[in-house]
Amino acid sequence: PTYTKLSKVLLGFLMYIWVPLVSVFFVILYSYFAKIVITTNWPNGGVSNWILGFSLFGVLAYIFSYGKLTKYNEFKQKFFNLFYILEIPLVIMLFVAIGLRIKEYGLTENRYAVLVSGIWLLLISLFHIIKKQKMLPFMAYSMLGIIFISFVSPLNMYSTSLYSQKSKLIEVLQTNGLFVDGKVE
């Protein structure tokens, strides 16, 4: 097959810059994960952002390299198989981190977005591990489904977070004796 200059540049970027960077970042995230598990001390935030940023970078690289016929196909296939397998423990860590925040402070639009992003990452990781084919259409359709649920459905991020924050406020007011018989005193 013939390659355009852009394809060669993209392939070079993926093979010689992205793969080493993602490998180093995997080591960093897994070391951080091990530290959290060993010390049982969860940080005050940031874990979700690191995982989502890293995952987005990985998913975009997968999309950009999708369907490119190269002499590196076998390596690319093995690398992305490993990427999606190693993604699952990180997504579980994301769920624990965001779950702790939701339990403590309630569900906000940002936490809702992190939660549904984590669900999407888990879905595409499992799909890639199990199916290993036609991944790009599944990614697109599942993303459209997540967007529909997040913005249009009755479980959209705004109404869900409003209900959660209202419940959290009432709980705090009741705990402090300021909400009695459905009224703020």
Side-chain angles (χ1 to χ4, degrees):
T2 59
Y3 303 103
T4 64
K5 277 191 172 185
L6 183 59
S7 293
K8 288 180 182 179
V9 169
L10 180 61
L11 179 64
F13 172 75
L14 289 173
M15 294 299 298
Y16 301 110
I17 296 173
W18 185 83
V19 169
L21 278 176
V22 81
S23 299
V24 167
F25 206 71
F26 253 134
V27 170
I28 291 168
L29 280 175
Y30 268 87
S31 299
Y32 194 53
F33 182 58
K35 176 192 170 260
I36 290 170
V37 169
I38 290 168
T39 64
T40 64
N41 185 14
W42 282 87
N44 290 333
V47 173
S48 304
N49 294 335
W50 280 50
I51 294 170
L52 286 177
F54 168 74
S55 300
L56 177 65
F57 193 49
V59 168
L60 286 175
Y62 181 84
I63 290 168
F64 290 142
S65 69
Y66 191 83
K68 303 277 189 277
L69 295 174
T70 70
K71 60 184 178 180
Y72 300 107
N73 267 353
E74 187 178 331
F75 172 78
K76 187 174 72 171
Q77 183 70 29
K78 286 180 182 178
F79 181 80
F80 282 113
N81 286 344
L82 184 61
F83 174 82
Y84 285 112
I85 289 169
L86 292 174
E87 183 75 14
I88 290 176
L90 294 176
V91 172
I92 291 169
M93 185 166 78
L94 179 137
F95 286 144
V96 172
I98 201 66
L100 290 171
R101 294 284 164 249
I102 291 170
K103 182 181 176 192
E104 191 170 343
Y105 303 111
L107 187 67
T108 62
E109 287 92 351
N110 290 342
R111 292 184 193 116
Y112 183 101
V114 168
L115 186 62
V116 297
S117 297
I119 291 169
W120 183 73
L121 284 170
L122 183 62
L123 282 174
I124 64 169
S125 296
L126 290 173
F127 187 85
H128 182 82
I129 292 166
I130 295 166
K131 192 83 168 159
K132 293 184 184 176
Q133 61 184 359
K134 298 189 180 188
M135 179 76 169
L136 201 56
F138 178 77
M139 290 172 106
Y141 293 132
S142 61
M143 179 57 80
L144 286 173
I146 293 287
I147 290 170
F148 176 80
I149 290 168
S150 299
F151 291 103
V152 180
S153 79
L155 295 174
N156 69 67
M157 72 171 58
Y158 305 109
S159 63
T160 306
S161 64
L162 179 64
Y163 175 79
S164 173
Q165 290 298 301
K166 183 179 174 183
S167 299
K168 203 64 163 167
L169 176 62
I170 290 171
E171 179 185 317
V172 168
L173 290 173
Q174 285 175 335
T175 301
N176 293 305
L178 300 172
F179 192 79
V180 181
D181 296 329
K183 295 179 185 175
V184 178
E185 294 190 5

